[in-house]
Short mmCIF file of all heavy atoms in Angstrom, two decimals:
data_model
loop_
_atom_site.label_atom_id
_atom_site.label_comp_id
_atom_site.label_asym_id
_atom_site.label_seq_id
_atom_site.Cartn_x
_atom_site.Cartn_y
_atom_site.Cartn_z
N LYS A 1 16.58 -3.36 14.14
CA LYS A 1 17.57 -3.99 13.27
C LYS A 1 17.16 -5.43 12.99
O LYS A 1 16.28 -5.99 13.65
CB LYS A 1 18.95 -3.93 13.92
CG LYS A 1 19.40 -2.50 14.22
CD LYS A 1 20.68 -2.48 14.99
CE LYS A 1 21.04 -1.05 15.38
NZ LYS A 1 22.24 -0.99 16.20
N GLU A 2 17.83 -6.03 12.04
CA GLU A 2 17.50 -7.39 11.63
C GLU A 2 17.78 -8.36 12.78
O GLU A 2 18.76 -8.25 13.50
CB GLU A 2 18.32 -7.79 10.40
CG GLU A 2 18.02 -6.92 9.18
CD GLU A 2 18.86 -7.38 7.99
OE1 GLU A 2 19.58 -8.38 8.16
OE2 GLU A 2 18.76 -6.75 6.95
N VAL A 3 16.88 -9.37 12.90
CA VAL A 3 17.04 -10.38 13.94
C VAL A 3 18.27 -11.22 13.61
O VAL A 3 18.46 -11.64 12.46
CB VAL A 3 15.79 -11.27 14.04
CG1 VAL A 3 16.00 -12.36 15.06
CG2 VAL A 3 14.58 -10.43 14.37
N GLY A 4 19.09 -11.42 14.63
CA GLY A 4 20.31 -12.21 14.43
C GLY A 4 21.51 -11.37 14.10
O GLY A 4 22.64 -11.88 14.09
N ALA A 5 21.32 -10.09 13.80
CA ALA A 5 22.48 -9.24 13.53
C ALA A 5 23.27 -9.04 14.81
O ALA A 5 22.74 -8.99 15.90
CB ALA A 5 22.01 -7.90 12.98
N SER A 6 24.56 -8.88 14.65
CA SER A 6 25.42 -8.76 15.84
C SER A 6 25.16 -7.51 16.60
O SER A 6 25.46 -7.40 17.77
CB SER A 6 26.90 -8.84 15.44
OG SER A 6 27.20 -7.77 14.56
N GLU A 7 24.61 -6.48 15.94
CA GLU A 7 24.35 -5.22 16.65
C GLU A 7 22.91 -5.08 17.11
O GLU A 7 22.55 -4.07 17.68
CB GLU A 7 24.69 -4.03 15.73
CG GLU A 7 26.14 -3.96 15.28
CD GLU A 7 26.36 -4.77 14.00
OE1 GLU A 7 25.39 -5.40 13.53
OE2 GLU A 7 27.49 -4.77 13.51
N GLY A 8 22.07 -6.02 16.86
CA GLY A 8 20.64 -5.79 17.05
C GLY A 8 20.05 -6.50 18.26
O GLY A 8 19.08 -7.25 18.10
N MET A 9 20.61 -6.30 19.45
CA MET A 9 20.09 -6.97 20.65
C MET A 9 19.10 -6.10 21.42
O MET A 9 18.46 -6.56 22.35
CB MET A 9 21.23 -7.39 21.57
CG MET A 9 22.25 -8.27 20.85
SD MET A 9 23.52 -8.88 21.94
CE MET A 9 22.58 -10.11 22.83
N GLY A 10 18.98 -4.82 21.07
CA GLY A 10 17.95 -3.97 21.66
C GLY A 10 18.20 -3.51 23.07
O GLY A 10 17.26 -3.16 23.79
N LEU A 11 19.46 -3.50 23.56
CA LEU A 11 19.76 -3.06 24.92
C LEU A 11 20.46 -1.71 25.00
O LEU A 11 20.54 -1.13 26.07
CB LEU A 11 20.62 -4.11 25.64
CG LEU A 11 19.94 -5.42 26.01
CD1 LEU A 11 20.95 -6.39 26.56
CD2 LEU A 11 18.83 -5.18 27.00
N GLY A 12 20.99 -1.23 23.89
CA GLY A 12 21.81 -0.01 23.93
C GLY A 12 21.05 1.19 24.45
O GLY A 12 21.48 1.87 25.37
N LEU A 13 19.89 1.51 23.86
CA LEU A 13 19.13 2.68 24.30
C LEU A 13 18.55 2.48 25.69
O LEU A 13 18.41 3.44 26.46
CB LEU A 13 18.02 2.98 23.29
CG LEU A 13 18.50 3.51 21.93
CD1 LEU A 13 17.32 3.72 21.00
CD2 LEU A 13 19.27 4.81 22.10
N SER A 14 18.20 1.24 26.04
CA SER A 14 17.69 1.00 27.39
C SER A 14 18.77 1.29 28.42
O SER A 14 18.51 1.93 29.45
CB SER A 14 17.22 -0.45 27.50
OG SER A 14 16.79 -0.74 28.82
N ILE A 15 19.99 0.82 28.14
CA ILE A 15 21.11 1.11 29.06
C ILE A 15 21.39 2.61 29.10
O ILE A 15 21.62 3.20 30.17
CB ILE A 15 22.35 0.32 28.63
CG1 ILE A 15 22.11 -1.18 28.81
CG2 ILE A 15 23.57 0.76 29.41
CD1 ILE A 15 23.22 -2.04 28.28
N SER A 16 21.37 3.26 27.94
CA SER A 16 21.63 4.71 27.90
C SER A 16 20.59 5.46 28.71
O SER A 16 20.90 6.43 29.42
CB SER A 16 21.61 5.20 26.45
OG SER A 16 22.63 4.57 25.71
N TYR A 17 19.33 5.03 28.60
CA TYR A 17 18.28 5.69 29.38
C TYR A 17 18.56 5.59 30.89
O TYR A 17 18.44 6.57 31.64
CB TYR A 17 16.94 5.03 29.04
CG TYR A 17 15.76 5.66 29.74
CD1 TYR A 17 15.14 6.79 29.23
CD2 TYR A 17 15.27 5.14 30.94
CE1 TYR A 17 14.05 7.37 29.87
CE2 TYR A 17 14.20 5.71 31.59
CZ TYR A 17 13.59 6.83 31.06
OH TYR A 17 12.54 7.41 31.71
N GLY A 18 18.94 4.38 31.33
CA GLY A 18 19.24 4.22 32.75
C GLY A 18 20.44 5.06 33.20
O GLY A 18 20.44 5.64 34.28
N LEU A 19 21.48 5.16 32.36
CA LEU A 19 22.66 5.94 32.72
C LEU A 19 22.33 7.42 32.82
O LEU A 19 22.76 8.11 33.76
CB LEU A 19 23.78 5.71 31.70
CG LEU A 19 24.38 4.30 31.69
CD1 LEU A 19 25.41 4.19 30.58
CD2 LEU A 19 25.01 3.97 33.02
N VAL A 20 21.58 7.95 31.85
CA VAL A 20 21.23 9.38 31.89
C VAL A 20 20.36 9.68 33.11
O VAL A 20 20.52 10.71 33.77
CB VAL A 20 20.53 9.77 30.58
CG1 VAL A 20 20.00 11.21 30.67
CG2 VAL A 20 21.48 9.65 29.40
N GLN A 21 19.44 8.77 33.42
CA GLN A 21 18.62 8.98 34.61
C GLN A 21 19.46 9.01 35.87
O GLN A 21 19.21 9.76 36.81
CB GLN A 21 17.57 7.85 34.70
CG GLN A 21 16.46 7.93 33.65
CD GLN A 21 15.50 9.07 33.90
OE1 GLN A 21 15.20 9.39 35.06
NE2 GLN A 21 15.01 9.68 32.83
N SER A 22 20.52 8.17 35.93
CA SER A 22 21.39 8.16 37.11
C SER A 22 22.16 9.46 37.27
O SER A 22 22.60 9.79 38.36
CB SER A 22 22.37 6.99 37.02
OG SER A 22 23.33 7.19 35.99
N PHE A 23 22.33 10.21 36.15
CA PHE A 23 23.00 11.52 36.22
C PHE A 23 22.05 12.62 36.62
O PHE A 23 22.44 13.78 36.74
CB PHE A 23 23.63 11.89 34.87
CG PHE A 23 24.66 10.90 34.37
CD1 PHE A 23 24.90 10.74 33.01
CD2 PHE A 23 25.38 10.12 35.26
CE1 PHE A 23 25.85 9.84 32.56
CE2 PHE A 23 26.32 9.22 34.82
CZ PHE A 23 26.55 9.07 33.47
N GLY A 24 20.75 12.29 36.77
CA GLY A 24 19.76 13.32 37.06
C GLY A 24 19.29 14.02 35.80
O GLY A 24 18.76 15.14 35.87
N GLY A 25 19.48 13.40 34.61
CA GLY A 25 19.10 14.02 33.35
C GLY A 25 17.93 13.30 32.71
O GLY A 25 17.21 12.53 33.33
N ASN A 26 17.76 13.58 31.40
CA ASN A 26 16.64 13.01 30.66
C ASN A 26 17.07 12.78 29.22
O ASN A 26 17.97 13.47 28.71
CB ASN A 26 15.43 13.96 30.71
CG ASN A 26 14.18 13.33 30.14
OD1 ASN A 26 14.04 12.09 30.17
ND2 ASN A 26 13.28 14.14 29.61
N ILE A 27 16.46 11.80 28.56
CA ILE A 27 16.76 11.49 27.16
C ILE A 27 15.44 11.19 26.45
O ILE A 27 14.54 10.55 27.02
CB ILE A 27 17.72 10.30 27.05
CG1 ILE A 27 18.06 10.02 25.59
CG2 ILE A 27 17.19 9.07 27.74
CD1 ILE A 27 19.16 9.00 25.42
N ARG A 28 15.31 11.69 25.23
CA ARG A 28 14.10 11.42 24.44
C ARG A 28 14.48 11.33 22.96
O ARG A 28 15.51 11.88 22.53
CB ARG A 28 13.07 12.52 24.65
CG ARG A 28 13.52 13.90 24.21
CD ARG A 28 12.43 14.94 24.46
NE ARG A 28 12.86 16.29 24.05
CZ ARG A 28 13.49 17.13 24.83
NH1 ARG A 28 13.78 16.79 26.07
NH2 ARG A 28 13.85 18.33 24.37
N GLY A 29 13.66 10.59 22.20
CA GLY A 29 13.90 10.42 20.76
C GLY A 29 12.64 10.69 19.97
O GLY A 29 11.54 10.26 20.35
N VAL A 30 12.77 11.43 18.87
CA VAL A 30 11.64 11.79 18.02
C VAL A 30 12.06 11.64 16.56
O VAL A 30 13.26 11.54 16.23
CB VAL A 30 11.17 13.23 18.28
CG1 VAL A 30 10.65 13.38 19.70
CG2 VAL A 30 12.29 14.23 18.02
N ASN A 31 11.08 11.63 15.66
CA ASN A 31 11.33 11.63 14.22
C ASN A 31 11.41 13.07 13.72
O ASN A 31 10.61 13.92 14.11
CB ASN A 31 10.21 10.88 13.48
CG ASN A 31 10.29 9.38 13.70
OD1 ASN A 31 11.39 8.80 13.67
ND2 ASN A 31 9.14 8.74 13.94
N ARG A 32 12.35 13.33 12.85
CA ARG A 32 12.50 14.67 12.26
C ARG A 32 11.49 14.86 11.14
O ARG A 32 11.09 13.91 10.46
CB ARG A 32 13.91 14.85 11.74
CG ARG A 32 15.00 14.69 12.81
CD ARG A 32 16.38 14.74 12.19
NE ARG A 32 16.62 16.01 11.52
CZ ARG A 32 17.62 16.22 10.68
NH1 ARG A 32 18.46 15.23 10.37
NH2 ARG A 32 17.78 17.40 10.11
N GLU A 33 11.11 16.12 10.92
CA GLU A 33 10.13 16.40 9.87
C GLU A 33 10.70 16.10 8.48
O GLU A 33 9.99 15.60 7.61
CB GLU A 33 9.71 17.87 9.94
CG GLU A 33 8.92 18.22 11.20
CD GLU A 33 8.50 19.67 11.21
OE1 GLU A 33 8.85 20.38 10.22
OE2 GLU A 33 7.83 20.10 12.16
N GLY A 34 11.95 16.34 8.27
CA GLY A 34 12.56 16.10 6.96
C GLY A 34 13.04 14.68 6.81
O GLY A 34 13.69 14.36 5.80
N GLY A 35 12.78 13.80 7.78
CA GLY A 35 13.25 12.43 7.72
C GLY A 35 14.42 12.20 8.65
O GLY A 35 15.28 13.07 8.83
N GLY A 36 14.45 11.00 9.21
CA GLY A 36 15.52 10.68 10.14
C GLY A 36 15.05 10.80 11.58
O GLY A 36 13.93 11.19 11.88
N ALA A 37 15.96 10.45 12.49
CA ALA A 37 15.67 10.48 13.93
C ALA A 37 16.53 11.52 14.62
O ALA A 37 17.62 11.86 14.16
CB ALA A 37 15.90 9.09 14.54
N GLU A 38 16.01 12.01 15.74
CA GLU A 38 16.75 12.99 16.54
C GLU A 38 16.61 12.62 18.01
O GLU A 38 15.51 12.49 18.52
CB GLU A 38 16.21 14.40 16.30
CG GLU A 38 16.91 15.47 17.12
CD GLU A 38 16.40 16.86 16.82
OE1 GLU A 38 16.72 17.36 15.73
OE2 GLU A 38 15.68 17.43 17.66
N PHE A 39 17.76 12.45 18.69
CA PHE A 39 17.79 12.13 20.12
C PHE A 39 18.36 13.34 20.87
O PHE A 39 19.39 13.92 20.46
CB PHE A 39 18.65 10.90 20.38
CG PHE A 39 18.00 9.62 19.95
CD1 PHE A 39 18.12 9.16 18.64
CD2 PHE A 39 17.23 8.88 20.83
CE1 PHE A 39 17.52 7.99 18.24
CE2 PHE A 39 16.62 7.70 20.43
CZ PHE A 39 16.76 7.25 19.13
N THR A 40 17.69 13.70 21.96
CA THR A 40 18.11 14.85 22.80
C THR A 40 18.39 14.34 24.21
O THR A 40 17.53 13.71 24.83
CB THR A 40 17.03 15.94 22.85
OG1 THR A 40 16.74 16.38 21.53
CG2 THR A 40 17.52 17.12 23.69
N VAL A 41 19.62 14.63 24.69
CA VAL A 41 20.02 14.28 26.06
C VAL A 41 20.14 15.58 26.86
O VAL A 41 20.86 16.49 26.46
CB VAL A 41 21.36 13.52 26.07
CG1 VAL A 41 21.75 13.19 27.50
CG2 VAL A 41 21.26 12.25 25.25
N GLU A 42 19.40 15.66 27.96
CA GLU A 42 19.45 16.84 28.84
C GLU A 42 20.20 16.47 30.12
O GLU A 42 19.86 15.49 30.79
CB GLU A 42 18.03 17.31 29.17
CG GLU A 42 17.27 17.80 27.95
CD GLU A 42 15.86 18.25 28.31
OE1 GLU A 42 15.42 17.94 29.44
OE2 GLU A 42 15.21 18.90 27.48
N LEU A 43 21.24 17.27 30.43
CA LEU A 43 22.08 17.02 31.60
C LEU A 43 22.17 18.28 32.46
O LEU A 43 22.02 19.41 31.95
CB LEU A 43 23.49 16.59 31.16
CG LEU A 43 23.56 15.29 30.36
CD1 LEU A 43 24.95 15.12 29.76
CD2 LEU A 43 23.21 14.09 31.23
N GLN A 44 22.42 18.08 33.73
CA GLN A 44 22.55 19.22 34.63
C GLN A 44 23.93 19.85 34.49
O GLN A 44 24.93 19.12 34.41
CB GLN A 44 22.36 18.77 36.08
CG GLN A 44 20.97 18.27 36.41
CD GLN A 44 20.84 17.86 37.86
OE1 GLN A 44 21.80 17.96 38.61
NE2 GLN A 44 19.66 17.39 38.24
N PRO A 45 24.03 21.20 34.49
CA PRO A 45 25.36 21.84 34.49
C PRO A 45 26.14 21.46 35.74
O PRO A 45 25.56 21.20 36.81
CB PRO A 45 25.03 23.34 34.45
CG PRO A 45 23.61 23.43 34.00
CD PRO A 45 22.93 22.19 34.43
N ALA A 46 27.45 21.42 35.61
CA ALA A 46 28.30 21.01 36.75
C ALA A 46 28.20 21.97 37.91
O ALA A 46 28.38 21.58 39.06
CB ALA A 46 29.75 20.87 36.28
N ASP A 47 27.92 23.26 37.65
CA ASP A 47 27.87 24.25 38.72
C ASP A 47 26.53 24.29 39.42
O ASP A 47 26.35 25.02 40.38
CB ASP A 47 28.17 25.65 38.15
CG ASP A 47 29.57 25.73 37.60
OD1 ASP A 47 30.41 24.95 38.06
OD2 ASP A 47 29.79 26.54 36.69
#
């Protein structure tokens, strides 16, 4: 995001990565073939 924007501090995904790891899961992000981004979060079932 643009430098100086109120939303562009670059910590959101880093924090999300740490939280998902603490749940014993995984998170990854890739570019879609038709354009755009796709994020996948993998979590353990409760059972």
Side-chain angles (χ1 to χ4, degrees):
K1 301 173 185 177
E2 297 180 3
V3 177
S6 60
E7 299 88 358
M9 304 185 74
L11 289 174
L13 289 178
S14 177
I15 293 174
S16 298
Y17 182 85
L19 293 176
V20 173
Q21 289 289 325
S22 70
F23 300 153
N26 189 27
I27 182 171
R28 62 180 180 272
V30 297
N31 288 318
R32 301 174 60 194
E33 293 182 359
E38 179 177 288
F39 287 86
T40 302
V41 179
E42 295 180 347
L43 298 169
Q44 295 181 1
D47 297 334

